[in-house]
Amino acid sequence: MKKNRTLKILAVLIPVIFIGAMIYLFNRVQDKKERVDNLQQLPSFTVTSIEGATISAKDFSKGKKVLVYFSPECHICQTEAEELSNIYSKHPNVQWIFIGSDPIPEIKAFAERYQLYAKENIIWARDTDAKVYQVFGMSGVPYFLAYDENNKLAFRNSGAIKLENILKHFNE
């Protein structure tokens, strides 16, 4: 008798759990799609430069731009910063915005280590409370968002990538 009762309970619970899991997964996919759709135009955001100035998306309204969400501790980020220090001068028409949630002294030390601090067209900023990370729906570091002159998304990538592959989307 107990086996029948257990089987009946399982017969009800298993479909309910399965349907619940399917609804959860569907909602997650919809949320991700909505976040990606919201990235098609450069979203509004505010960060603090390592010099202490407030910077917003409006400050980058003209020209090609690459937003890089990074961490100074990330080995991939270190490799890509080294690559940028080697190719930077070949792409003077691209604005680079490096954003991290680490303390400002660590971000500045990272920029200096790769000779990218105080370079024209490279901005270093801190994302207090990782708000940009959340608004942009990022999933890891490094995370790249490339926008064209009209602030339309040209390319996005999470993880390791050759910077030249990003720049190809600008016909650079």
Side-chain angles (χ1 to χ4, degrees):
M1 203 60 155
K2 273 192 165 184
K3 278 188 177 182
N4 271 346
R5 185 173 179 204
T6 303
L7 287 175
K8 286 178 183 179
I9 291 171
L10 287 175
V12 171
L13 277 178
I14 289 174
V16 168
I17 290 170
F18 178 75
I19 290 169
M22 294 303 292
I23 290 170
Y24 172 78
L25 290 173
F26 177 78
N27 286 335
R28 294 251 327 180
V29 168
Q30 289 300 104
D31 288 346
K32 184 173 183 177
K33 183 184 180 319
E34 185 177 318
R35 279 194 214 133
V36 170
D37 289 346
N38 290 340
L39 294 176
Q40 296 308 308
Q41 282 291 116
L42 181 63
S44 176
F45 68 91
T46 303
V47 292
T48 305
S49 75
I50 59 176
E51 290 81 21
T54 299
I55 301 169
S56 73
K58 294 175 188 169
D59 296 320
F60 308 110
S61 59
K62 301 288 183 208
K64 303 167 188 173
K65 60 204 79 56
V66 179
L67 278 72
V68 182
Y69 206 96
F70 80 106
S71 170
E73 300 299 316
C74 164
H75 295 293
I76 296 169
C77 302
Q78 294 166 8
T79 300
E80 288 168 348
E82 189 172 329
E83 180 185 354
L84 181 58
S85 69
N86 292 328
I87 67 166
Y88 169 77
S89 61
K90 296 178 191 174
H91 305 283
N93 298 323
V94 177
Q95 175 78 61
W96 296 86
I97 303 102
F98 279 79
I99 303 170
S101 56
D102 298 280
I104 287 177
E106 290 180 31
I107 294 172
K108 185 175 181 181
F110 179 88
E112 289 171 340
R113 184 177 327 131
Y114 296 99
Q115 293 90 36
L116 295 170
Y117 181 69
K119 293 277 189 181
E120 191 175 332
N121 289 344
I122 300 181
I123 294 174
W124 297 89
R126 180 164 193 257
D127 178 22
T128 307
D129 301 324
K131 290 179 184 175
V132 170
Y133 189 87
Q134 294 167 11
V135 167
F136 282 65
M138 297 176 178
S139 57
V141 291
Y143 197 94
F144 298 91
L145 293 163
Y147 288 91
D148 67 13
E149 299 88 348
N150 300 312
N151 289 331
K152 290 189 179 188
L153 184 66
F155 183 77
R156 75 182 178 93
N157 185 74
S158 180
I161 187 169
K162 290 273 189 203
L163 298 181
E164 293 287 353
N165 290 337
I166 295 171
L167 297 169
K168 284 179 190 175
H169 294 274
F170 293 143
N171 298 320
E172 280 283 314

